[in-house]
């Protein structure tokens, strides 16, 4: 998909994605961060999109994957199991 068209479609689906992010996080601030990160990830992966008819579903998958990754990192941080570069561990 061409870059201008991608950003037009992303903008057209912004409200849907923001609502979905709010539903996942149940927090307005976290939802904004999640939406921004997922939009960034989608932008990086836009060449992987196959067919425009799946655009919304593709965006939702990226949002969900971003949420899961963030949730996993936060859980590891809370439990003290987050590995740091060089093999160190963060102790909470």
């Amino acid at each position: 998909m061409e870059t201008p068209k991608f950003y037009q479609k992303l903008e057209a689906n912004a409200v849907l994605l923001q609502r979905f992010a709010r539903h996942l996080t149940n927090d307005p601030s976290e939802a904004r961060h999640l939406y921004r990160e997922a939009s960034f990830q989608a932008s990086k992966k836009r060449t992987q999109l196959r067919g425009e008819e799946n655009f919304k579903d593709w965006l939702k998958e990226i949002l969900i994957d971003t949420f899961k990754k963030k949730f996993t990192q936060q859980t590891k941080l809370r439990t003290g199991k987050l590995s740091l570069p060089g093999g160190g561990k963060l102790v909470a």
Side-chain angles (χ1 to χ4, degrees), residues 17-81:
L17 289 176
Q18 290 168 353
R19 279 192 209 141
F20 192 49
R22 176 71 189 265
H23 172 75
L24 290 173
T25 63
N26 203 28
D27 179 281
S29 179
E30 286 295 319
R32 281 191 297 277
H33 292 296
L34 177 59
Y35 167 74
R36 286 186 202 129
E37 180 62 25
S39 296
F40 175 71
Q41 293 299 324
S43 177
K44 286 182 6 181
K45 297 176 181 181
R46 69 181 176 269
T47 58
Q48 298 173 7
L49 178 62
R50 302 288 180 241
E52 294 179 35
E53 65 277 354
N54 298 325
F55 192 78
K56 279 188 211 178
D57 292 334
W58 181 76
L59 287 174
K60 284 183 179 180
E61 283 183 38
I62 290 174
L63 189 82
I64 291 168
D65 289 347
T66 304
F67 174 73
K68 286 179 181 177
K69 183 178 177 184
K70 184 176 179 125
F71 178 77
T72 301
Q73 287 174 345
Q74 287 175 346
T75 301
K76 287 180 180 179
L77 181 62
R78 279 195 304 270
T79 60
K81 295 180 181 177

